[in-house]
């Protein structure tokens, strides 16, 4: 069997985590491992697209609020809303207080319940509010926040795919990637994304270096809390949980950047 190349991993990451026209050429555990390790790269591209649109609107004379809305919309468009849908479904499953099997059944339904609607509303409001605050200060701060939050969101998925985290169902994305990433590799990816965020913030000053690094660390910590709760409630992870983790991490990263 031919070995999985870095290109296979990138195709897996972009093909499963974005709506970009990328064909997944390998769909096995080895490709899943490489793909989940490459997930922050997919986040970087999504974030750059969000920052570019926000910057373009500002350059054309639009205000920071419209730029913030656009930068929030881009990740939703580039994932066909799958992460937001996963967040809503996970909120409905957790909010139901039903046993694992019934909660998972609720999450598979096509409609969105009250817990999902409320969670989506406040999550998107928080993201827009932070980006508005940062774009109002400068395009650089808003753009960098959009990029770092998107990368942190996908880093949370790398950590969620580490060994020891079981799937809640025998099928779906959760089952395909669960337990594929060695813990050491997941920690290395975390250190790398944190370091890159700090380096990117260097032109903004020493304090911003620490704040952007903290935003990545605290984002994955917030996602980890949700992950552990979902594993306890559902018995493992699902594709919906992955979406919820991504949105939780992105929002947490942005909130950290709004403080101080």
């Amino acid at each position: 069997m031919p070995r999985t190349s870095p290109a296979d991993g990138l195709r897996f990451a972009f093909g499963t985590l974005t709506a970009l026209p990328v064909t997944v050429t390998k769909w096995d555990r080895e490709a899943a491992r490489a793909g989940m390790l490459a997930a922050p790269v997919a986040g970087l591209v999504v974030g750059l697209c969000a920052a570019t649109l926000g910057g373009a609107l500002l350059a054309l004379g639009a205000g920071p609020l419209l730029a913030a809305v656009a930068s929030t919309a881009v990740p939703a468009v580039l994932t066909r809303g799958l992460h937001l849908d996963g967040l809503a479904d996970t909120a409905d499953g957790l909010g139901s207080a039903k046993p694992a099997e019934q909660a998972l059944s609720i999450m598979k339904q096509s409609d969105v319940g009250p817990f999902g609607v409320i969670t989506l509303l406040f999550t998107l409001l928080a993201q827009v509010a932070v980006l508005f605050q940062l774009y109002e200060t400068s395009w650089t701060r808003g753009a960098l926040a959009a990029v770092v939050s998107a990368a942190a969101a996908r880093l949370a998925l790398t950590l969620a795919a580490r060994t020891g985290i079981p799937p809640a169902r025998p099928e779906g994305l959760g089952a395909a990637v669960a337990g594929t990433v060695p813990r050491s590799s997941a920690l290395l990816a975390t250190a790398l994304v944190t370091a890159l965020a700090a380096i990117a913030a260097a032109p903004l000053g020493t304090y911003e270096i620490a704040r952007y690094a903290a935003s990545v660390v605290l984002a994955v910590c917030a996602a980890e809390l949700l992950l552990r709760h979902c594993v306890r409630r559902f018995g493992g992870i699902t594709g919906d949980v992955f979406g919820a983790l991504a949105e939780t991490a992105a929002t947490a990263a942005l909130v950290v950047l709004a403080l101080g």
Side-chain angles (χ1 to χ4, degrees):
M1 178 183 296
R3 293 181 61 84
T4 300
S5 68
D8 291 325
L10 288 171
R11 279 191 284 266
F12 189 98
F14 281 92
T16 58
L17 302 179
T18 76
L20 296 172
V22 177
T23 301
V24 179
T25 54
K26 291 188 66 177
W27 187 270
D28 55 24
R29 300 288 286 179
E30 190 176 346
R33 179 185 303 110
M36 296 315 295
L37 283 171
V41 179
L44 174 64
V45 172
V46 170
L48 287 172
C49 291
T52 299
L53 181 58
L57 288 171
L58 290 175
L60 291 172
L65 180 56
L66 182 57
V69 171
S71 290
T72 302
V74 167
V77 172
L78 291 183
T79 59
R80 294 195 183 95
L82 287 178
H83 290 169
L84 290 170
D85 179 67
L87 175 66
D89 287 343
T90 301
D92 283 333
L94 292 174
S96 71
K98 300 289 186 181
E101 186 174 344
Q102 291 177 267
L104 289 170
S105 179
I106 290 172
M107 291 164 64
K108 290 187 71 173
Q109 295 175 10
S110 58
D111 59 334
V112 179
F115 291 106
V117 171
I118 292 170
T119 301
L120 282 177
L121 174 64
F122 285 110
T123 297
L124 291 172
L125 280 175
Q127 292 178 4
V128 170
V130 173
L131 287 171
F132 167 68
Q133 175 184 331
L134 296 176
Y135 273 131
E136 192 173 35
T137 303
S138 72
W139 172 79
T140 302
R141 293 179 185 275
L144 186 56
V147 173
V148 169
S149 63
R154 277 69 182 179
L155 173 62
L157 306 188
T158 302
L159 288 165
R162 68 184 185 270
T163 53
I165 305 297
R169 299 190 185 104
E171 75 285 337
L173 179 63
V177 303
T180 58
V181 178
R183 289 175 178 267
S184 59
S185 299
L187 291 175
L188 180 60
T190 302
L192 180 59
V193 173
T194 303
L196 291 175
I199 291 170
L204 301 178
T206 303
Y207 178 72
E208 296 301 320
I209 292 175
R211 183 156 66 162
Y212 274 83
S215 73
V216 175
V217 173
L218 293 176
V220 296
C221 285
E224 179 68 16
L225 291 175
L226 177 60
L227 172 64
R228 294 188 179 193
H229 185 53
C230 289
V231 170
R232 285 195 300 269
R233 285 282 285 109
F234 307 139
I237 57 173
T238 68
D240 285 332
V241 171
F242 266 75
L245 294 174
E247 293 297 333
T248 297
T251 306
L254 288 172
V255 169
V256 171
L257 294 175
L259 303 177

